Amino acid sequence: QSQFVESGGGLVQPGGSLTLSCVASGFQLDYYTIGWFRQASGKERERVSCISSGSGSTNYTDSVKGRFTTSRDNARATVYLQMNNLRPEDTGVYYCAAKRGSCVPTPIEMPYFKWGQGTQVTVSS
């Protein structure tokens, strides 16, 4: 069976850093564009970043630009989300997810078909 296993979450103080990782097994990670999503308590899930399968180009939501960086190592079947200068409003459950296609929404959009299990990030003093 295929798996997309997340790690790296935890409790940090405001201004701290965390790196999240997702490791793919049972599917070919380099075929897919990877999004990172988060869901805070009482809020809708939002996409915070995306990295494309082909060029490795990235997109970020405005609230994390300049603070978060996503990258991928296809040889190790791993994607990363480096989070710096964390804020309390970054608190939530973070998910990695895979799809075909690009990071840019299109009228006919490929679904995210494979999701990680989620990892909790809590930013609090």
Side-chain angles (χ1 to χ4, degrees):
Q1 69 276 11
S2 61
Q3 297 183 86
F4 211 8
V5 179
E6 298 185 44
S7 62
L11 173 65
V12 297
Q13 293 187 341
S17 298
L18 285 173
T19 299
L20 307 183
S21 300
C22 281
V23 180
S25 62
F27 68 101
Q28 195 74 28
L29 182 67
D30 58 345
Y31 291 175
Y32 301 105
T33 284
I34 307 299
W36 286 94
F37 297 80
R38 69 185 178 194
Q39 188 163 27
S41 181
K43 295 184 178 180
E44 294 185 355
R45 186 178 65 202
E46 65 172 337
R47 195 179 82 174
V48 300
S49 73
C50 182
I51 183 164
S52 68
S53 60
S55 66
S57 63
T58 56
N59 290 330
Y60 301 92
T61 194
D62 286 344
S63 65
V64 309
K65 286 180 180 177
R67 300 189 297 119
F68 289 13
T69 303
T70 189
S71 61
R72 63 192 299 155
D73 185 342
N74 289 330
R76 299 186 180 191
T78 304
V79 295
Y80 304 94
L81 184 66
Q82 175 68 48
M83 304 183 294
N84 298 320
N85 193 24
L86 284 160
R87 304 167 179 169
E89 55 263 40
D90 295 318
T91 294
V93 179
Y94 283 69
Y95 301 89
C96 53
K99 70 167 187 174
R100 301 302 300 268
S102 76
C103 291
V104 179
T106 59
I108 301 176
E109 187 67 13
M110 296 289 189
Y112 288 93
F113 72 96
K114 187 68 178 179
W115 292 77
Q117 82 277 13
T119 186
Q120 176 71 41
V121 172
T122 302
V123 185
S124 177
S125 60

